[in-house]
Amino acid sequence: MLLWTTGTGALGCADPCPRLSPGGVGPVEHRPDGRYFVATSDSDGACPLDRRLDLGERVGGAWDRRVTATWPTATDPVQTGWSDVAPGEHPVVVFSHAANADTCTLHNRYSRLHSRWASQGWIVVSVAAGGSLCGSMSAENLEQRAALVELARSALPGLDRGLGDLGPFMAGHLDSGRVVFAGHSRGGGASLLAAAWAAEEDRPPLGVVALQPVDPMAWAVPLGTVAVPTLLVLAENDADVVAAHTASLDAAFGAAWGTVEVPGGIHAWTADDLPPRADADPETSADAQRQLTDEVSAQALMELDGEGTLAPWAWTDDIALWSDIPLRMRWGGRPDAVVLADFQDGAQILDCTDLEVCAVGVPFDSDDPERHDRAKWAHLVAENDGAVTILVPVDALGAERVELVVLGTPDVELVLEHGQSTALQVLPPSSASLMDPQRGVMMGADVPGGLAGDLVLRVRGDVWIDNVVAFTAPD
């Protein structure tokens, strides 16, 4: 993948700065895999031009205005020396980076991720949150970071008119009506907050892509409703943000949403080169985590710009291409979905029969319950044949598919029964290749003729289940 743009100066030396061709460019050229070539306004810090974004008079002088942009190019910058934006108007990602009290200007340290997005045709505008925005995490700081996201968005029409340092490159190429907010860590929380504010003012972005985000509500910042499709990419071994599950955020989502957890991933490995914390415990490689983050987020951007929504429930086949390790996924907001049981409490369970354990509303990780205190599952253990009866509400009658998240060992056997009918489908132990004892997989069954009564889940073995959902129409 081409991450950096290079050109040829008058003396024939390498020029790391983006350059506009003097006479325009010809038709767009694509890489062999069908994606655009890519240029960036900051070649690993080697470009001496200090790019700044015109944020207007509303921003105090102590706020940082530096920006790194990454965009699709018309030709291969390495071969041509020119970095013109590919013809046409392109959707925009406004990106908000991670930060801590010691390191605040990380806007140019996500080149791999931003290049992946730009290769799909997105212009990525990553704004530095330095100056007076640098500091320890607080409610005030998070709100200021969210305000910076909104201000950066408000500057896009000026860029499209050719204003500012990047204006000559961007003029006529930004579609400021097709904007996604994205961010990592504190920047991810700021993106969620900015999207909620924008939706309240009837100018919502297309959606949000939040990578290991800070939960604003954990810092006493009212979030309101994030009324746009939202993807959260989480890291299983995140030592910075407790985000193994985000059930506390579920109620804030007002549109389709999904969470994808990178198994064994850590907080730092979303960026290019952030050093991990001393207590970080990665169980996957940095390259594998970044690859998964690249592909999952790129899929989300494609759907947000194409369909205007997210459909993570349909990503099963794609994930098999992205990764050879199982991912834990959760999702909600599918228009035809009715949640039968999320196991936050026992109200949705009608009966437990012949089970040694029938525990509802418990964290799945008994060794570290605080880390997973937002994740409520049903834990079922049956030496022989046990059964759980799950209430099917009136609005789910007629549903033609049922799915649930399953976490267990390879010897588990599950049979889903529809009322008094025969088994709809065995959730087979042959899926052991996906059945990791610490990660759930989504499994399901079609319901010929539609649901007409309560569900019975027959169990043999030790299993955890979550998010039993019925769909009124099959995919």
Side-chain angles (χ1 to χ4, degrees), residues 206 214 282 420:
L206 291 175
V214 167
Q420 301 302 314

Side-chain angles (χ1 to χ4, degrees), residues 282-366:
E283 296 179 68
T284 190
S285 69
D287 186 69
Q289 177 171 340
R290 290 172 185 138
Q291 177 71 17
L292 286 171
T293 302
D294 292 350
E295 297 306 322
V296 170
S297 59
Q299 176 70 21
L301 290 178
M302 181 177 68
E303 292 184 8
L304 289 172
D305 189 45
E307 302 297 327
T309 187
L310 288 175
W313 44 84
W315 292 0
T316 304
D317 293 338
D318 295 320
I319 285 176
L321 299 176
W322 302 333
S323 171
D324 59 358
I325 51 179
L327 303 181
R328 181 183 294 124
M329 293 183 60
R330 300 175 68 247
W331 48 263
R334 178 170 169 169
D336 61 345
V338 178
V339 176
L340 305 184
D342 57 12
F343 304 114
Q344 300 302 306
D345 55 46
Q348 297 141 323
I349 295 293
L350 296 180
D351 188 35
C352 294
T353 304
D354 296 328
L355 289 165
E356 282 75 44
V357 176
C358 185
V360 175
V362 292
F364 76 82
D365 190 342
S366 58

Side-chain angles (χ1 to χ4, degrees), residues 224-238:
T225 300
V226 183
V228 296
T230 300
L231 173 71
L232 307 184
V233 180
L234 311 176
E236 181 184 26
N237 293 359
D238 195 329

